[in-house]
Amino acid sequence: MPRPFLALPKRRGPCRLLRFTALATAVVFAATSLAFPEKAYSVVNAVENAAPSIRNLEVPENLASLVVSHWAGDGRPSVIFIRDAHALVEAQHHIEELLRYFREKYGIRLVALEGGRGKVDATLFRAFPDGEVKKKVLASYLEKGELTGAQMAAIFQRQEGDFFGIEDWPLYEANYVAFLRTAAGRDSILKDLKAESAKLDEKRKRAYSPELNRFHEKLSAFKDERIHLIELLSYLRDLAPVEERLRAYPEVARLLQSIERESLLDPAGLEIEIRALAEAFKKDGLRSLAKEDLMEFHRRYQAFSTGESDGAEFLRSLVRIAGAEGRELVLSPALKALLAHSETLSVLKGTRLFTELEGLLDEMEASLAQTAEEKEIASSYRKLHLLKDLARLELDRKRWNEVASSPGAYLAFAPRPDAFAPAIEFYRLAVERDRALYRNLVSLLERKRARGACVILGGFHTEGFEDELRQAGYSYA
């Protein structure tokens, strides 16, 4: 019997930003609440097995962003994709609440998951009598990455739903083996590519203009995770032409504006103000708090005090806890500015941001590379970076398709092209898993006679699913 929900080891995410902005820009999940909320949602369509109207779908902005939707009429079931940010605990909490939201507001009780096969049976956990102990213990497993938000939803939803893994297990295991083989050879491949980059560097230093050299060095440092995204964006902000280009990249523009506002804040002074506000709330407001809000307050205050979370994150949670009790905290102008800055970041659409950033960087590099030699060298660097991401298994769907369409053009830059065979096999199997996941989802919808389902998938698989669903006449979001 296959091991249930053995997730493939997680690839590295985008480079870590300032803790204050990391979640807002790396994933589509927005706000920063780690609580187990008990908010009830207004029910607009909570009829069992009723298809939610994708045309009028509402998504809480503090949990997620609606990235794309496709309405194909009432003939087939509707599918709601929730992109899974595997490595982020915060995203798992939001997945848990999103599933409860769609269950209570739209009546969607069917949930399909990658990483396992068959029904998720949470009966034993649901039957445990002490709810507080159960939440505390299982939350620790979630923090360690040993449970997912979907599994937590299966355990804690007020009304039991149907949670099913939709993998083809032999195919999944083959994909896992390809992952292990790729990981085993990764370091030696990256060493080879580093040597090739060093050779290209000598040519580049002679051929590039000073401005293009500076641009390349900043871009390479970011891609190799030697500088943060914030530092890269600060550099781009100082380039005169970038202001004109930003009209086509609204998410990047919003983040740049937020960085400028953040530079005007006084971190030390804000920390003192936040501590004073928290102590005043402890003195006057804790008595009326519900037990769960009280536990959340202490947990978040401790995380802030020990440096595990930043001031903006704690301030947002403090305002939310007070608001739930009908209290409005009195904030100074500086704290209001910090809160506004945090809320701006919380609604940045992470996937779109990084797509825009890639487009902006490509456009700027193309404008700076004037001679035929500069353009040729820039193209060579791009191929080397794609090979690095292939070795690290960090390609998105678009870039994998680019490599797969002409692998020889890329592998020509590798001293040992055969060393990439496991990584290429990994992505080939990932695409094949897309088709299996789709077939199993359709079969599940038919078997359960469901008119709607939530599907938890990583971004790579989501992009493959969209094409299949559109061609088959399904509505999705």
Side-chain angles (χ1 to χ4, degrees), residues 328-356:
E328 184 175 351
L329 298 178
V330 179
L331 303 180
S332 69
L335 289 182
K336 289 180 179 178
L338 176 63
L339 197 60
H341 173 55
S342 175
E343 288 171 351
T344 296
L345 291 174
S346 77
V347 296
L348 282 171
K349 297 172 176 62
T351 302
R352 190 176 301 169
L353 171 66
F354 280 94
T355 299
E356 285 188 11

PDB file of all heavy atoms in Angstrom, residues 328-356:
ATOM      1  N   GLU A 328     -11.091  49.642  19.285  1.00  0.00           N
ATOM      2  CA  GLU A 328     -10.279  50.298  18.279  1.00  0.00           C
ATOM      3  C   GLU A 328      -9.047  50.880  18.947  1.00  0.00           C
ATOM      4  O   GLU A 328      -9.142  51.757  19.807  1.00  0.00           O
ATOM      5  CB  GLU A 328     -11.061  51.403  17.576  1.00  0.00           C
ATOM      6  CG  GLU A 328     -10.287  52.066  16.448  1.00  0.00           C
ATOM      7  CD  GLU A 328     -11.119  53.080  15.688  1.00  0.00           C
ATOM      8  OE1 GLU A 328     -12.348  53.139  15.931  1.00  0.00           O
ATOM      9  OE2 GLU A 328     -10.537  53.820  14.881  1.00  0.00           O
ATOM     10  N   LEU A 329      -7.883  50.386  18.571  1.00  0.00           N
ATOM     11  CA  LEU A 329      -6.642  50.857  19.166  1.00  0.00           C
ATOM     12  C   LEU A 329      -6.305  52.254  18.655  1.00  0.00           C
ATOM     13  O   LEU A 329      -6.524  52.569  17.485  1.00  0.00           O
ATOM     14  CB  LEU A 329      -5.500  49.898  18.827  1.00  0.00           C
ATOM     15  CG  LEU A 329      -5.642  48.462  19.356  1.00  0.00           C
ATOM     16  CD1 LEU A 329      -4.458  47.612  18.904  1.00  0.00           C
ATOM     17  CD2 LEU A 329      -5.750  48.448  20.874  1.00  0.00           C
ATOM     18  N   VAL A 330      -5.757  53.057  19.515  1.00  0.00           N
ATOM     19  CA  VAL A 330      -5.319  54.402  19.144  1.00  0.00           C
ATOM     20  C   VAL A 330      -3.887  54.307  18.634  1.00  0.00           C
ATOM     21  O   VAL A 330      -2.962  53.993  19.394  1.00  0.00           O
ATOM     22  CB  VAL A 330      -5.405  55.366  20.342  1.00  0.00           C
ATOM     23  CG1 VAL A 330      -4.920  56.759  19.928  1.00  0.00           C
ATOM     24  CG2 VAL A 330      -6.838  55.440  20.871  1.00  0.00           C
ATOM     25  N   LEU A 331      -3.699  54.583  17.341  1.00  0.00           N
ATOM     26  CA  LEU A 331      -2.386  54.454  16.727  1.00  0.00           C
ATOM     27  C   LEU A 331      -1.802  55.818  16.406  1.00  0.00           C
ATOM     28  O   LEU A 331      -2.513  56.725  15.970  1.00  0.00           O
ATOM     29  CB  LEU A 331      -2.489  53.638  15.431  1.00  0.00           C
ATOM     30  CG  LEU A 331      -3.085  52.234  15.532  1.00  0.00           C
ATOM     31  CD1 LEU A 331      -3.104  51.574  14.155  1.00  0.00           C
ATOM     32  CD2 LEU A 331      -2.303  51.379  16.520  1.00  0.00           C
ATOM     33  N   SER A 332      -0.514  55.949  16.616  1.00  0.00           N
ATOM     34  CA  SER A 332       0.188  57.179  16.253  1.00  0.00           C
ATOM     35  C   SER A 332       0.292  57.270  14.737  1.00  0.00           C
ATOM     36  O   SER A 332       0.110  56.271  14.029  1.00  0.00           O
ATOM     37  CB  SER A 332       1.590  57.179  16.867  1.00  0.00           C
ATOM     38  OG  SER A 332       2.383  56.186  16.221  1.00  0.00           O
ATOM     39  N   PRO A 333       0.605  58.429  14.192  1.00  0.00           N
ATOM     40  CA  PRO A 333       0.793  58.541  12.732  1.00  0.00           C
ATOM     41  C   PRO A 333       1.845  57.567  12.200  1.00  0.00           C
ATOM     42  O   PRO A 333       1.687  57.009  11.114  1.00  0.00           O
ATOM     43  CB  PRO A 333       1.236  59.994  12.551  1.00  0.00           C
ATOM     44  CG  PRO A 333       0.611  60.721  13.711  1.00  0.00           C
ATOM     45  CD  PRO A 333       0.665  59.752  14.860  1.00  0.00           C
ATOM     46  N   ALA A 334       2.918  57.337  12.985  1.00  0.00           N
ATOM     47  CA  ALA A 334       3.970  56.416  12.535  1.00  0.00           C
ATOM     48  C   ALA A 334       3.448  54.988  12.463  1.00  0.00           C
ATOM     49  O   ALA A 334       3.745  54.252  11.510  1.00  0.00           O
ATOM     50  CB  ALA A 334       5.172  56.503  13.477  1.00  0.00           C
ATOM     51  N   LEU A 335       2.663  54.581  13.462  1.00  0.00           N
ATOM     52  CA  LEU A 335       2.109  53.227  13.449  1.00  0.00           C
ATOM     53  C   LEU A 335       1.075  53.073  12.336  1.00  0.00           C
ATOM     54  O   LEU A 335       0.977  52.002  11.721  1.00  0.00           O
ATOM     55  CB  LEU A 335       1.493  52.894  14.805  1.00  0.00           C
ATOM     56  CG  LEU A 335       2.470  52.680  15.964  1.00  0.00           C
ATOM     57  CD1 LEU A 335       1.718  52.305  17.239  1.00  0.00           C
ATOM     58  CD2 LEU A 335       3.500  51.607  15.625  1.00  0.00           C
ATOM     59  N   LYS A 336       0.308  54.117  12.078  1.00  0.00           N
ATOM     60  CA  LYS A 336      -0.648  54.065  10.966  1.00  0.00           C
ATOM     61  C   LYS A 336       0.081  53.904   9.639  1.00  0.00           C
ATOM     62  O   LYS A 336      -0.368  53.162   8.757  1.00  0.00           O
ATOM     63  CB  LYS A 336      -1.510  55.335  10.952  1.00  0.00           C
ATOM     64  CG  LYS A 336      -2.518  55.411  12.082  1.00  0.00           C
ATOM     65  CD  LYS A 336      -3.326  56.707  11.997  1.00  0.00           C
ATOM     66  CE  LYS A 336      -4.355  56.780  13.126  1.00  0.00           C
ATOM     67  NZ  LYS A 336      -5.114  58.063  13.089  1.00  0.00           N
ATOM     68  N   ALA A 337       1.218  54.598   9.513  1.00  0.00           N
ATOM     69  CA  ALA A 337       2.003  54.480   8.281  1.00  0.00           C
ATOM     70  C   ALA A 337       2.562  53.073   8.127  1.00  0.00           C
ATOM     71  O   ALA A 337       2.559  52.497   7.031  1.00  0.00           O
ATOM     72  CB  ALA A 337       3.137  55.501   8.287  1.00  0.00           C
ATOM     73  N   LEU A 338       3.036  52.488   9.229  1.00  0.00           N
ATOM     74  CA  LEU A 338       3.551  51.125   9.197  1.00  0.00           C
ATOM     75  C   LEU A 338       2.449  50.141   8.819  1.00  0.00           C
ATOM     76  O   LEU A 338       2.652  49.230   8.008  1.00  0.00           O
ATOM     77  CB  LEU A 338       4.136  50.753  10.558  1.00  0.00           C
ATOM     78  CG  LEU A 338       4.626  49.308  10.710  1.00  0.00           C
ATOM     79  CD1 LEU A 338       5.783  49.032   9.757  1.00  0.00           C
ATOM     80  CD2 LEU A 338       5.040  49.031  12.150  1.00  0.00           C
ATOM     81  N   LEU A 339       1.268  50.335   9.390  1.00  0.00           N
ATOM     82  CA  LEU A 339       0.142  49.446   9.106  1.00  0.00           C
ATOM     83  C   LEU A 339      -0.271  49.565   7.645  1.00  0.00           C
ATOM     84  O   LEU A 339      -0.538  48.555   6.977  1.00  0.00           O
ATOM     85  CB  LEU A 339      -1.030  49.794  10.023  1.00  0.00           C
ATOM     86  CG  LEU A 339      -2.133  48.755  10.164  1.00  0.00           C
ATOM     87  CD1 LEU A 339      -1.584  47.453  10.728  1.00  0.00           C
ATOM     88  CD2 LEU A 339      -3.246  49.290  11.064  1.00  0.00           C
ATOM     89  N   ALA A 340      -0.316  50.785   7.129  1.00  0.00           N
ATOM     90  CA  ALA A 340      -0.681  50.986   5.722  1.00  0.00           C
ATOM     91  C   ALA A 340       0.350  50.336   4.801  1.00  0.00           C
ATOM     92  O   ALA A 340       0.007  49.716   3.789  1.00  0.00           O
ATOM     93  CB  ALA A 340      -0.797  52.476   5.422  1.00  0.00           C
ATOM     94  N   HIS A 341       1.618  50.476   5.157  1.00  0.00           N
ATOM     95  CA  HIS A 341       2.695  49.850   4.386  1.00  0.00           C
ATOM     96  C   HIS A 341       2.533  48.337   4.372  1.00  0.00           C
ATOM     97  O   HIS A 341       2.628  47.684   3.330  1.00  0.00           O
ATOM     98  CB  HIS A 341       4.027  50.246   5.018  1.00  0.00           C
ATOM     99  CG  HIS A 341       5.217  49.554   4.430  1.00  0.00           C
ATOM    100  ND1 HIS A 341       5.501  49.570   3.098  1.00  0.00           N
ATOM    101  CD2 HIS A 341       6.197  48.817   5.019  1.00  0.00           C
ATOM    102  CE1 HIS A 341       6.617  48.892   2.874  1.00  0.00           C
ATOM    103  NE2 HIS A 341       7.054  48.425   4.020  1.00  0.00           N
ATOM    104  N   SER A 342       2.249  47.770   5.532  1.00  0.00           N
ATOM    105  CA  SER A 342       2.070  46.324   5.649  1.00  0.00           C
ATOM    106  C   SER A 342       0.880  45.844   4.836  1.00  0.00           C
ATOM    107  O   SER A 342       0.932  44.804   4.171  1.00  0.00           O
ATOM    108  CB  SER A 342       1.886  45.947   7.122  1.00  0.00           C
ATOM    109  OG  SER A 342       1.595  44.586   7.265  1.00  0.00           O
ATOM    110  N   GLU A 343      -0.210  46.610   4.881  1.00  0.00           N
ATOM    111  CA  GLU A 343      -1.412  46.201   4.155  1.00  0.00           C
ATOM    112  C   GLU A 343      -1.202  46.290   2.643  1.00  0.00           C
ATOM    113  O   GLU A 343      -1.739  45.486   1.885  1.00  0.00           O
ATOM    114  CB  GLU A 343      -2.596  47.061   4.593  1.00  0.00           C
ATOM    115  CG  GLU A 343      -3.061  46.714   6.009  1.00  0.00           C
ATOM    116  CD  GLU A 343      -4.089  47.689   6.542  1.00  0.00           C
ATOM    117  OE1 GLU A 343      -4.310  48.735   5.891  1.00  0.00           O
ATOM    118  OE2 GLU A 343      -4.668  47.416   7.606  1.00  0.00           O
ATOM    119  N   THR A 344      -0.411  47.258   2.203  1.00  0.00           N
ATOM    120  CA  THR A 344      -0.069  47.338   0.776  1.00  0.00           C
ATOM    121  C   THR A 344       0.674  46.087   0.345  1.00  0.00           C
ATOM    122  O   THR A 344       0.380  45.480  -0.689  1.00  0.00           O
ATOM    123  CB  THR A 344       0.795  48.577   0.494  1.00  0.00           C
ATOM    124  OG1 THR A 344       0.039  49.743   0.787  1.00  0.00           O
ATOM    125  CG2 THR A 344       1.232  48.611  -0.972  1.00  0.00           C
ATOM    126  N   LEU A 345       1.651  45.683   1.133  1.00  0.00           N
ATOM    127  CA  LEU A 345       2.419  44.483   0.810  1.00  0.00           C
ATOM    128  C   LEU A 345       1.552  43.237   0.830  1.00  0.00           C
ATOM    129  O   LEU A 345       1.750  42.313   0.055  1.00  0.00           O
ATOM    130  CB  LEU A 345       3.571  44.313   1.800  1.00  0.00           C
ATOM    131  CG  LEU A 345       4.690  45.352   1.704  1.00  0.00           C
ATOM    132  CD1 LEU A 345       5.689  45.149   2.823  1.00  0.00           C
ATOM    133  CD2 LEU A 345       5.379  45.267   0.358  1.00  0.00           C
ATOM    134  N   SER A 346       0.575  43.213   1.717  1.00  0.00           N
ATOM    135  CA  SER A 346      -0.228  41.997   1.883  1.00  0.00           C
ATOM    136  C   SER A 346      -1.077  41.679   0.667  1.00  0.00           C
ATOM    137  O   SER A 346      -1.457  40.534   0.468  1.00  0.00           O
ATOM    138  CB  SER A 346      -1.122  42.130   3.119  1.00  0.00           C
ATOM    139  OG  SER A 346      -2.236  42.958   2.860  1.00  0.00           O
ATOM    140  N   VAL A 347      -1.382  42.682  -0.147  1.00  0.00           N
ATOM    141  CA  VAL A 347      -2.233  42.420  -1.308  1.00  0.00           C
ATOM    142  C   VAL A 347      -1.430  42.377  -2.611  1.00  0.00           C
ATOM    143  O   VAL A 347      -2.002  42.253  -3.678  1.00  0.00           O
ATOM    144  CB  VAL A 347      -3.359  43.468  -1.430  1.00  0.00           C
ATOM    145  CG1 VAL A 347      -4.283  43.390  -0.240  1.00  0.00           C
ATOM    146  CG2 VAL A 347      -2.800  44.877  -1.574  1.00  0.00           C
ATOM    147  N   LEU A 348      -0.096  42.458  -2.516  1.00  0.00           N
ATOM    148  CA  LEU A 348       0.703  42.237  -3.707  1.00  0.00           C
ATOM    149  C   LEU A 348       0.505  40.809  -4.173  1.00  0.00           C
ATOM    150  O   LEU A 348       0.498  39.877  -3.377  1.00  0.00           O
ATOM    151  CB  LEU A 348       2.188  42.474  -3.399  1.00  0.00           C
ATOM    152  CG  LEU A 348       2.658  43.926  -3.330  1.00  0.00           C
ATOM    153  CD1 LEU A 348       4.074  43.985  -2.796  1.00  0.00           C
ATOM    154  CD2 LEU A 348       2.584  44.588  -4.681  1.00  0.00           C
ATOM    155  N   LYS A 349       0.337  40.624  -5.457  1.00  0.00           N
ATOM    156  CA  LYS A 349       0.096  39.301  -6.008  1.00  0.00           C
ATOM    157  C   LYS A 349       1.446  38.684  -6.355  1.00  0.00           C
ATOM    158  O   LYS A 349       2.060  39.009  -7.370  1.00  0.00           O
ATOM    159  CB  LYS A 349      -0.826  39.400  -7.219  1.00  0.00           C
ATOM    160  CG  LYS A 349      -2.198  39.957  -6.843  1.00  0.00           C
ATOM    161  CD  LYS A 349      -3.038  40.239  -8.056  1.00  0.00           C
ATOM    162  CE  LYS A 349      -4.437  40.703  -7.647  1.00  0.00           C
ATOM    163  NZ  LYS A 349      -4.418  41.946  -6.889  1.00  0.00           N
ATOM    164  N   GLY A 350       1.929  37.783  -5.483  1.00  0.00           N
ATOM    165  CA  GLY A 350       3.285  37.282  -5.582  1.00  0.00           C
ATOM    166  C   GLY A 350       3.637  36.657  -6.912  1.00  0.00           C
ATOM    167  O   GLY A 350       4.681  36.947  -7.504  1.00  0.00           O
ATOM    168  N   THR A 351       2.791  35.740  -7.412  1.00  0.00           N
ATOM    169  CA  THR A 351       3.099  35.089  -8.677  1.00  0.00           C
ATOM    170  C   THR A 351       3.208  36.115  -9.788  1.00  0.00           C
ATOM    171  O   THR A 351       4.133  36.076 -10.609  1.00  0.00           O
ATOM    172  CB  THR A 351       2.002  34.068  -9.022  1.00  0.00           C
ATOM    173  OG1 THR A 351       1.903  33.125  -7.963  1.00  0.00           O
ATOM    174  CG2 THR A 351       2.320  33.339 -10.309  1.00  0.00           C
ATOM    175  N   ARG A 352       2.272  37.053  -9.827  1.00  0.00           N
ATOM    176  CA  ARG A 352       2.294  38.086 -10.860  1.00  0.00           C
ATOM    177  C   ARG A 352       3.502  38.999 -10.686  1.00  0.00           C
ATOM    178  O   ARG A 352       4.100  39.454 -11.663  1.00  0.00           O
ATOM    179  CB  ARG A 352       0.996  38.891 -10.800  1.00  0.00           C
ATOM    180  CG  ARG A 352       0.802  39.825 -11.980  1.00  0.00           C
ATOM    181  CD  ARG A 352      -0.542  40.507 -11.894  1.00  0.00           C
ATOM    182  NE  ARG A 352      -1.635  39.553 -11.876  1.00  0.00           N
ATOM    183  CZ  ARG A 352      -2.899  39.866 -11.604  1.00  0.00           C
ATOM    184  NH1 ARG A 352      -3.212  41.123 -11.308  1.00  0.00           N
ATOM    185  NH2 ARG A 352      -3.832  38.944 -11.603  1.00  0.00           N
ATOM    186  N   LEU A 353       3.875  39.278  -9.450  1.00  0.00           N
ATOM    187  CA  LEU A 353       5.022  40.144  -9.193  1.00  0.00           C
ATOM    188  C   LEU A 353       6.285  39.580  -9.823  1.00  0.00           C
ATOM    189  O   LEU A 353       7.014  40.283 -10.518  1.00  0.00           O
ATOM    190  CB  LEU A 353       5.227  40.323  -7.682  1.00  0.00           C
ATOM    191  CG  LEU A 353       6.519  41.027  -7.265  1.00  0.00           C
ATOM    192  CD1 LEU A 353       6.524  42.467  -7.721  1.00  0.00           C
ATOM    193  CD2 LEU A 353       6.718  40.931  -5.767  1.00  0.00           C
ATOM    194  N   PHE A 354       6.551  38.291  -9.599  1.00  0.00           N
ATOM    195  CA  PHE A 354       7.780  37.721 -10.116  1.00  0.00           C
ATOM    196  C   PHE A 354       7.719  37.536 -11.629  1.00  0.00           C
ATOM    197  O   PHE A 354       8.745  37.616 -12.303  1.00  0.00           O
ATOM    198  CB  PHE A 354       8.108  36.411  -9.399  1.00  0.00           C
ATOM    199  CG  PHE A 354       8.747  36.641  -8.067  1.00  0.00           C
ATOM    200  CD1 PHE A 354       7.991  36.682  -6.908  1.00  0.00           C
ATOM    201  CD2 PHE A 354      10.106  36.872  -7.974  1.00  0.00           C
ATOM    202  CE1 PHE A 354       8.572  36.920  -5.675  1.00  0.00           C
ATOM    203  CE2 PHE A 354      10.701  37.119  -6.751  1.00  0.00           C
ATOM    204  CZ  PHE A 354       9.943  37.141  -5.592  1.00  0.00           C
ATOM    205  N   THR A 355       6.532  37.325 -12.171  1.00  0.00           N
ATOM    206  CA  THR A 355       6.395  37.285 -13.626  1.00  0.00           C
ATOM    207  C   THR A 355       6.705  38.653 -14.212  1.00  0.00           C
ATOM    208  O   THR A 355       7.426  38.774 -15.220  1.00  0.00           O
ATOM    209  CB  THR A 355       4.965  36.857 -14.014  1.00  0.00           C
ATOM    210  OG1 THR A 355       4.714  35.546 -13.510  1.00  0.00           O
ATOM    211  CG2 THR A 355       4.797  36.833 -15.527  1.00  0.00           C
ATOM    212  N   GLU A 356       6.158  39.695 -13.580  1.00  0.00           N
ATOM    213  CA  GLU A 356       6.446  41.060 -14.030  1.00  0.00           C
ATOM    214  C   GLU A 356       7.932  41.379 -13.900  1.00  0.00           C
ATOM    215  O   GLU A 356       8.529  42.009 -14.782  1.00  0.00           O
ATOM    216  CB  GLU A 356       5.634  42.066 -13.207  1.00  0.00           C
ATOM    217  CG  GLU A 356       4.169  42.133 -13.567  1.00  0.00           C
ATOM    218  CD  GLU A 356       3.473  43.281 -12.850  1.00  0.00           C
ATOM    219  OE1 GLU A 356       4.191  44.113 -12.255  1.00  0.00           O
ATOM    220  OE2 GLU A 356       2.237  43.334 -12.885  1.00  0.00           O
TER     221      GLU A 356
END
